[in-house]
């Protein structure tokens, strides 16, 4: 166990614990955007940056993926950290002024008018890559890529056209921190405007509610290697059957 | 329909090794002059690498092209050294001579015009790179003479 001092609170942490885990345990608030418990933290959005002191040396690190490997002093609200967070929010706000999540954070840190200007501003995407990560690591279909690089970098389906591997599960919609990925369920179809992909929704055999896409059922059948009641009935009906 | 025998051969020489993806893409591009969608699909199937990953790699590196390219690739250096020694003038002349903008192909698909930011030959600037050869100490007149050499073959 290592000695950890976070914002004046003295505690202990096991090797390889991340700063964010310690902060959550000690109820110290660190803002996050691209962090999600279910996937490997990448430190893409930089908003969780904190100042650490190891052997008398101070440096700025991302709390979400910094493993504690020795005694450490952490300051999550130092002047340097706040200055950097404001800058990051300024950049994010310039790119995604329509995103409620970014607006909220910017307001909290006192950022109103970013000094940077970007041409295209109706997009809410902060290019954190969570959608790509969840599609690859959790869903396992790898339908999305982070294409191009630098300022052009963006999540998209290969060739920016309807994906042949996407199963329409909506994990990317669920995980997106800024609601940049959307899906529309309408007239028995599910459409992802960002991925330009459409699916047919399938009815639950008991209650007639639309609950899954046809591609999803096909994929699950393949993965499970057999037919299963959960591919025919919606979760609500399944829970009723179990009772 | 694109002929896939060339890409199959390329895959064979690399033993269908996933870790050789970039090398395979380079060799495939050599064969087709660019990377057609069918070729990428074939590589994806044969290497068992998701299409999204290949697309990510292809769009990341500037050396790969998803659009058809001309027979000869003419890159005009726009680096600082070449710039002060007259690269903009050469670019204007070449643009007029070939009747294309940077990033485009000529109508007869003989040339693709590019601008690059430095080819590392500042001492002999202004520099133009045609295919894999560098031509230094150019003037706008010399650059047109140079292109004329490549017009026939």
């Amino acid at each position: 166990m290592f000695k950890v001092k976070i914002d004046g609170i003295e505690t202990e942490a096991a090797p390889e614990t991340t700063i964010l885990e310690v902060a959550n345990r000690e109820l110290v608030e660190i803002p996050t955007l691209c962090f999600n418990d279910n996937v490997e933290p990448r430190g893409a959005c930089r908003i969780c940056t904190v100042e650490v002191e190891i052997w008398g040396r101070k440096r700025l690190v991302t709390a979400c993926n910094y493993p504690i490997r020795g005694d450490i002093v952490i300051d999550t609200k130092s002047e340097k950290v706040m200055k950097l967070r404001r800058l990051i929010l300024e950049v994010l706000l310039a790119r995604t002024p329509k995103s409620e999540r970014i607006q909220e954070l910017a307001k909290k840190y006192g950022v109103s008018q970013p000094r940077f200007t970007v041409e295209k501003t109706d997009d809410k995407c902060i290019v954190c890559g969570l959608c790509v990560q969840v599609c690859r690591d959790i869903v396992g279909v790898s339908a999305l890529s982070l294409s191009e690089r630098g300022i052009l970098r963006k999540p998209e389906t290969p060739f920016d056209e309807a994906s042949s591997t996407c199963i329409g599960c909506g994990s990317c919609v669920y995980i997106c921190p800024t609601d940049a990925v959307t899906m529309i369920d309408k007239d028995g179809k599910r459409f992802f405007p960002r991925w330009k992909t459409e699916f047919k929704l399938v009815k639950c055999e008991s209650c007639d509610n639309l609950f899954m896409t046809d591609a999803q059922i096909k994929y699950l059948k393949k993965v499970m290697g057999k037919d299963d009641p959960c591919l025919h009935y919606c979760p609500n009906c399944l829970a009723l059957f179990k009772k | 329909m694109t002929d896939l025998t060339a890409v199959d051969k390329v895959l064979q020489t690399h033993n269908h090794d996933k870790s050789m993806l970039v090398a395979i893409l380079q060799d495939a591009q050599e064969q087709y002059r660019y990377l057609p969608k069918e070729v990428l699909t074939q590589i994806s199937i044969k290497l068992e690498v998701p299409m999204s990953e290949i697309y990510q790699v292809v769009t990341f590196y500037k050396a790969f092209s998803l659009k058809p390219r001309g027979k000869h690739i003419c890159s005009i250096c726009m680096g600082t050294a070449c710039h002060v020694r007259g690269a903009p003038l050469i670019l204007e002349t070449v643009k007029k001579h070939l009747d294309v903008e940077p990033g485009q192909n000529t109508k007869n698909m003989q040339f693709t015009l590019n601008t690059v930011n430095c080819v590392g030959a500042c001492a002999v600037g202004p520099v133009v790179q045609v295919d894999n050869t560098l031509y230094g100490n150019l003037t706008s007149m010399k650059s047109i003479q140079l292109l004329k050499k490549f017009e026939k073959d």
Side-chain angles (χ1 to χ4, degrees), chain A residues 42-103:
Chain A
R42 284 167 66 236
C45 71
R46 319 306 292 177
I47 201 79
C48 67
T49 304
V50 293
E51 195 169 11
V52 297
E53 193 181 327
I54 312 153
W55 295 341
R57 285 183 169 204
K58 285 187 174 181
R59 54 190 282 227
L60 294 165
V61 298
T62 43
C64 66
N65 62 354
Y66 187 89
I68 292 170
R69 288 180 178 152
D71 296 347
I72 193 168
V73 180
I74 306 159
D75 192 344
T76 70
K77 288 172 185 66
S78 75
E79 203 178 311
K80 238 185 183 170
V81 170
M82 293 315 247
K83 204 176 155 194
L84 186 69
R85 261 184 217 158
R86 277 198 296 273
L87 175 72
I88 293 165
L89 280 167
E90 232 181 312
V91 176
L92 289 178
L93 190 64
R95 248 186 112 128
T96 60
K98 296 255 170 74
S99 162
E100 290 86 8
R101 180 87 182 272
I102 301 293
Q103 282 170 5

Side-chain angles (χ1 to χ4, degrees), chain A residues 3-243:
Chain A
K3 277 187 206 151
V4 179
K5 197 173 171 188
I6 180 162
D7 283 2
I9 305 166
E10 285 188 33
T11 178
E12 280 187 330
E16 300 299 309
T17 323
T18 64
I19 295 177
L20 191 63
E21 278 164 355
V22 176
N24 286 341
R25 199 179 66 204
E26 299 300 326
L27 302 177
V28 173
E29 198 202 342
I30 296 175
T32 56
L33 281 171
C34 75
F35 177 77
N36 190 295
D37 252 343
N38 301 302
V39 292
E40 187 88 353
R42 284 167 66 236
C45 71
R46 319 306 292 177
I47 201 79
C48 67
T49 304
V50 293
E51 195 169 11
V52 297
E53 193 181 327
I54 312 153
W55 295 341
R57 285 183 169 204
K58 285 187 174 181
R59 54 190 282 227
L60 294 165
V61 298
T62 43
C64 66
N65 62 354
Y66 187 89
I68 292 170
R69 288 180 178 152
D71 296 347
I72 193 168
V73 180
I74 306 159
D75 192 344
T76 70
K77 288 172 185 66
S78 75
E79 203 178 311
K80 238 185 183 170
V81 170
M82 293 315 247
K83 204 176 155 194
L84 186 69
R85 261 184 217 158
R86 277 198 296 273
L87 175 72
I88 293 165
L89 280 167
E90 232 181 312
V91 176
L92 289 178
L93 190 64
R95 248 186 112 128
T96 60
K98 296 255 170 74
S99 162
E100 290 86 8
R101 180 87 182 272
I102 301 293
Q103 282 170 5
E104 210 176 283
L105 268 175
K107 206 172 164 191
K108 200 172 156 194
Y109 284 87
V111 177
S112 51
Q113 194 61 45
R115 70 194 117 142
F116 314 106
T117 46
V118 186
E119 272 173 35
K120 203 180 119 199
T121 53
D122 50 349
D123 197 0
K124 289 183 182 174
C125 180
I126 57 165
V127 203
C128 66
L130 265 184
C131 44
V132 178
Q133 229 178 336
V134 76
C135 194
R136 187 188 57 213
D137 300 342
I138 307 289
V139 185
V141 296
S142 288
L144 303 172
S145 22
L146 270 181
S147 67
E148 308 280 343
R149 58 173 158 169
I151 55 165
L152 298 172
R153 198 169 172 87
K154 60 182 174 296
E156 67 177 357
T157 52
F159 306 100
D160 198 21
E161 50 192 42
S163 168
S164 56
T165 44
C166 176
I167 56 168
C169 63
S171 301
C172 43
V173 179
Y174 171 76
I175 208 162
C176 181
T178 55
D179 296 329
V181 189
T182 49
M183 65 178 181
I184 303 157
D185 285 1
K186 203 183 158 194
D187 302 332
K189 291 208 171 120
R190 174 174 288 178
F191 183 57
F192 295 83
R194 196 178 194 100
W195 316 135
K196 301 184 170 73
T197 311
E198 194 178 63
F199 295 95
K200 221 182 103 195
L201 284 167
V202 178
K203 274 182 188 165
C204 165
E205 284 171 27
S206 164
C207 67
D208 270 8
N209 279 336
L210 299 165
F211 78 114
M212 230 191 242
T213 66
D214 51 351
Q216 218 171 340
I217 291 174
K218 216 170 120 194
Y219 177 73
L220 284 173
K221 228 178 230 171
K222 206 181 95 193
V223 172
M224 293 161 106
K226 62 175 175 39
D227 205 3
D228 193 276
C230 77
L231 302 178
H232 297 275
Y233 304 102
C234 70
N236 289 344
C237 290
L238 275 179
L240 279 178
F241 294 157
K242 268 189 193 144
K243 267 182 199 166

Side-chain angles (χ1 to χ4, degrees), chain B residues 55-130:
Chain B
Y55 184 72
Q56 201 161 311
V57 171
V58 170
T59 53
F60 183 86
Y61 293 107
K62 264 196 158 176
F64 294 129
S65 172
L66 288 167
K67 282 183 277 172
R69 292 199 292 188
K71 211 166 168 189
H72 301 290
I73 291 151
C74 171
S75 310
I76 299 178
C77 182
M78 284 289 160
T80 317
C82 293
H83 185 93
V84 294
R85 301 192 68 177
L89 195 67
I90 291 180
L91 178 65
E92 278 310 308
T93 326
V94 172
K95 255 163 61 177
K96 226 172 248 170
H97 179 73
L98 297 177
D99 191 26
V100 285
E101 288 295 312
Q104 292 178 338
N105 308 316
T106 53
K107 278 195 194 92
N108 57 6
M109 291 303 277
Q110 193 71 8
F111 291 103
T112 297
L113 181 63
N114 276 328
T115 57
V116 288
N117 281 333
C118 186
V119 290
C122 307
V124 290
V127 178
V128 169
Q129 186 180 4
V130 181

